[in-house]
């Protein structure tokens, strides 16, 4: 039995520069690179192509992306719950009276404890609005222990 003296074929190994039939050569590296880069290139080129098409039917050169950005910036932002409640109660004070608005403020704070930290500012706003509607002395008659003395503070601040 004759043994091979070629070191590259000893123990079943092949030379490093020769690819095996399992594809571990330079072609595999190129294929992996293309597999990573090609989808990114296709997505970017598709996005740019879509952005340049005048979808509105006019021949304006403005891109659709710029028009889309303008539309989103003009939409009203969602309002905080305390702002919605304050506006609702101020409207209620104008349509009915301050007593009803204060009662509904207390019910809202009892129903949603997260509104408690905003109760004083809402009650002060109601006090100022009551002074405008009723005058200082009549507005003070609606005062209740809702949110401590914030309604009365609003009435006092609304006098000047």
């Amino acid at each position: 039995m004759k043994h091979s003296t070629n070191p590259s074929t000893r123990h079943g190994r092949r030379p490093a520069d020769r690819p095996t039939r399992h594809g571990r050569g330079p072609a595999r590296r190129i294929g992996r690179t293309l597999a990573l880069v090609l989808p990114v290139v296709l997505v970017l080129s598709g996005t740019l192509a879509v952005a340049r098409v005048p979808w509105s039917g006019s021949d304006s050169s403005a891109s659709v992306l710029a028009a889309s950005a303008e539309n989103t910036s003009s939409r009203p932002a969602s309002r905080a719950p305390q702002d919605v409640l304050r506006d609702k109660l101020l409207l209620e004070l104008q349509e009915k009276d301050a007593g009803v608005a204060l009662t509904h403020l207390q019910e809202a704070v009892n129903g949603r404890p997260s509104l408690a930290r905003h109760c004083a500012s809402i009650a002060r706003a109601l006090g100022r609005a009551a002074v405008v509607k009723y005058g200082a002395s009549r507005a003070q008659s609606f005062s209740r222990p809702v949110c401590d003395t914030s309604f009365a503070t609003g009435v006092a601040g609304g006098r000047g």
Side-chain angles (χ1 to χ4, degrees), residues 12 14 16 33 50 55 57 60 70 78 100-101 103 105 112 118-119 122 125 130 142 149 159:
R14 295 198 170 139
T33 303
V50 168
W55 293 103
S60 67
E70 289 172 7
S78 62
V100 173
T103 300
L105 173 61
R112 277 182 83 179
H118 305 286
C119 184
I122 295 172
F142 289 103
T149 58
R159 288 182 189 178

Side-chain angles (χ1 to χ4, degrees), residues 24-129:
R24 281 185 250 161
R28 182 175 176 101
R29 275 180 268 143
I30 292 170
R32 281 185 175 174
T33 303
L34 283 175
L36 292 172
V37 173
L38 192 60
V40 173
V41 170
L42 289 173
V43 167
L44 288 176
S45 64
T47 302
L48 292 174
V50 168
R52 292 183 181 267
V53 174
W55 293 103
S56 63
S58 65
D59 290 333
S60 67
S61 62
S63 72
V64 174
L65 293 178
S68 174
E70 289 172 7
N71 289 343
T72 57
S73 64
S74 65
R75 290 184 190 151
S78 62
R79 299 179 57 213
Q82 66 270 12
D83 295 336
V84 172
L85 177 64
R86 183 184 57 240
D87 292 348
K88 175 185 162 196
L89 293 175
L90 286 170
L91 181 65
E92 197 168 55
L93 184 140
Q94 295 301 319
E95 292 176 351
K96 297 177 183 171
D97 69 15
V100 173
L102 286 170
T103 300
H104 288 156
L105 173 61
Q106 186 65 52
E107 290 171 355
V109 170
N110 290 342
R112 277 182 83 179
S114 63
L115 291 171
R117 63 180 164 184
H118 305 286
C119 184
S121 66
I122 295 172
R124 277 192 301 274
L126 290 173
R128 288 189 296 270

